[in-house]
Amino acid sequence: MSPTLSETPAETAAEPVVAPVPAPAAEPPAEPVAEPVAEPVAGLAPDLSLDPALDGGEWVEPAAQDVAEAVVRDARDFGVYARTGGWAFALKVARSVRPGGQPAEGSPKVSAKAFAELAGCSAERVMRYYKAWDTAADDGLVPQFEALVPGEDVELPEADVWLSYYSSRSSATSVRGHAITAAAEAEGIKATKALEVAENPTALRAAILADPGTAEAARDALLDRMKEDTALQTEMARAIARTGELKKAVAQEAKAADRIEFVRQVAEGGQVRTPAGQTLDAPPELRAEAERHLSLIDELDDSEEAGEWAGEAYDTVKSLVAKAVEEDPALRVQERRAKFYNSLQKATKVFEELTLDEVLEEDVVEADMVQRLEALQEAIGACINALRKATDAS
């Protein structure tokens, strides 16, 4: 009895086309008979692997007796499957299942549900073969359903083309499945593998928890996805902010990244930012020192911590910047002027933010507040007098 659709694995399920086998002779022949060769199925090339003269492996002579009919049939079935793979099963579905909407009257074909019941498998599996044939027919690779007659063979494509049209997973036909399939093709892997992972997130979680390599691959994938998925960015940021250890780690890494960027700006951009916030051209010796530290940081492996190296580079470059400012009289004056303006601007902003109306309305004024403001007033007055004297002297 030929194998049914339900007896083949979901990934490579393919029921071979079986050609009729003549009954064995009633009397055994007087001389040894060569191993029978499978008769070619219509539209299919003969299976040369069954010919001992063409087999690349070591040939073993069969016993000097008739080969059992079941062995001959198996050999023929194997030859068909070796050449066509799943197309052999797809042909059986395509020529026996009527297309949707076609009336049953006047046609020997049956519905996918009825065919599945006869085959002893699910209608979903039958439809996956049906859809694979339909897609191939649209591409002109195989005949359309209407041109097929139950029991008749046609020329079939080669086996290696089958997986381009067939998916053993129903999820592949959904919008999500199409997206996963496209991503898998872009990565150069089989879509069935990606779909299998997507259908079992618990297994994916277990692999990530247990295997550092899988965790690293998952991390890289998430980072790539977050570049375009703003919703995922927000979710990840929220999750990190709510986890104390992760929040602290992110803050440390952000600090190290800022320091590396400071050094990189000096080394590659030739620009340096002074403590007062001025942007100046970096002297040659300062730029060379920044380049040296940056090269050491860039040589670190991904597994090595860059925080300590970043701190050392930042402190070195920053001290050299301060030294360069102090050694240049004009630059030193400019830097101190900018620093004073920054402090004055901050003090002004703080004073302007005092909400006196709320303090007076709620009757929360205390003597200490007045004393502090009076001291501030005296300090401001002294500062003004000093600046006036300096202005008059100049």
Side-chain angles (χ1 to χ4, degrees):
M1 180 176 180
S2 300
T4 64
L5 288 173
S6 61
E7 293 173 343
T8 39
E11 289 293 327
T12 58
E15 183 182 5
V17 178
V18 181
V21 180
E27 295 290 336
E31 298 179 358
V33 181
E35 182 184 29
V37 180
E39 297 178 3
V41 179
L44 299 177
D47 187 5
L48 301 181
S49 64
L50 297 179
D51 188 341
L54 299 176
D55 190 358
E58 181 180 356
W59 172 251
V60 179
E61 286 290 338
Q65 59 183 9
D66 283 343
V67 179
E69 178 182 354
V71 175
V72 176
R73 183 167 60 248
D74 285 347
R76 290 175 175 173
D77 292 351
F78 177 79
V80 173
Y81 176 73
R83 290 185 300 275
T84 64
W87 293 114
F89 270 3
L91 173 61
K92 292 182 177 295
V93 172
R95 70 191 183 189
S96 300
V97 175
R98 60 176 179 266
Q102 186 181 84
E105 295 80 5
S107 173
K109 299 183 179 182
V110 297
S111 66
K113 182 179 180 180
F115 188 88
E117 291 176 353
L118 293 171
C121 67
S122 67
E124 287 77 10
R125 174 176 292 184
V126 172
M127 286 306 299
R128 287 198 289 274
Y129 282 83
Y130 182 95
K131 291 175 181 178
W133 187 279
D134 190 25
T135 304
D138 290 340
D139 290 346
L141 199 63
V142 294
Q144 295 288 342
F145 294 107
E146 293 77 9
L148 300 175
V149 177
E152 290 188 1
D153 295 315
V154 297
E155 184 176 356
L156 297 175
E158 295 183 357
D160 56 359
V161 187
W162 170 246
L163 291 178
S164 301
Y165 292 91
Y166 174 78
S167 173
S168 62
R169 302 180 181 278
S170 58
S171 61
T173 60
S174 64
V175 175
R176 174 171 174 263
H178 284 305
I180 294 174
T181 299
E185 292 175 352
E187 294 291 335
I189 63 173
K190 291 183 179 180
T192 51
K193 295 294 184 181
L195 290 166
E196 181 180 359
V197 173
E199 290 175 3
N200 198 342
T202 303
L204 175 61
R205 171 183 168 82
I208 292 174
L209 291 175
D211 178 44
T214 305
E216 183 177 355
R219 180 204 66 189
D220 293 342
L222 283 173
L223 290 176
D224 289 341
R225 182 179 176 87
M226 281 193 292
K227 294 177 182 178
E228 299 180 357
D229 192 337
T230 55
L232 182 59
Q233 291 178 12
T234 302
E235 292 176 6
M236 292 295 291
R238 186 181 297 118
I240 292 173
R242 292 175 178 176
T243 307
E245 294 180 356
L246 292 179
K247 183 178 180 180
K248 182 178 179 180
V250 169
Q252 291 175 346
E253 290 298 323
K255 183 178 180 180
D258 290 341
R259 290 183 168 185
I260 293 174
E261 183 59 29
F262 174 81
V263 177
R264 191 179 300 279
Q265 186 64 29
V266 177
E268 298 179 354
Q271 299 287 314
V272 60
R273 190 175 180 85
T274 67
Q278 297 185 91
T279 302
L280 309 172
D281 291 334
E285 60 275 10
L286 173 59
R287 187 169 182 178
E289 185 66 15
E291 289 176 350
R292 186 179 72 84
H293 281 278
L294 187 62
S295 65
L296 293 175
I297 294 174
D298 290 340
E299 289 175 1
L300 295 176
D301 296 333
D302 293 338
S303 58
E304 295 183 87
E305 295 290 340
E308 183 178 352
W309 294 83
E312 180 181 348
Y314 176 80
D315 292 340
T316 301
V317 174
K318 188 177 180 181
S319 64
L320 291 176
V321 171
K323 181 180 178 181
V325 170
E326 288 298 321
E327 291 178 350
D328 188 331
L331 185 58
R332 182 174 66 248
V333 171
Q334 186 179 356
E335 177 72 3
R336 291 179 178 179
R337 182 182 294 115
K339 185 177 181 181
F340 183 83
Y341 269 116
N342 289 340
S343 300
L344 182 60
Q345 185 177 6
K346 292 178 182 179
T348 302
K349 184 177 181 181
V350 170
F351 187 79
E352 289 175 348
E353 290 177 352
L354 292 177
T355 53
L356 297 178
D357 293 340
E358 294 180 1
V359 172
L360 296 175
E361 289 176 0
E362 297 294 335
D363 192 21
V364 295
V365 178
E366 296 181 353
D368 182 61
M369 295 180 181
V370 178
Q371 293 174 0
R372 286 176 176 270
L373 286 173
E374 289 175 346
L376 178 60
Q377 185 179 26
E378 291 178 2
I380 293 175
C383 182
I384 293 174
N385 291 333
L387 291 177
R388 283 176 177 173
K389 290 179 180 180
T391 303
D392 294 341
S394 61

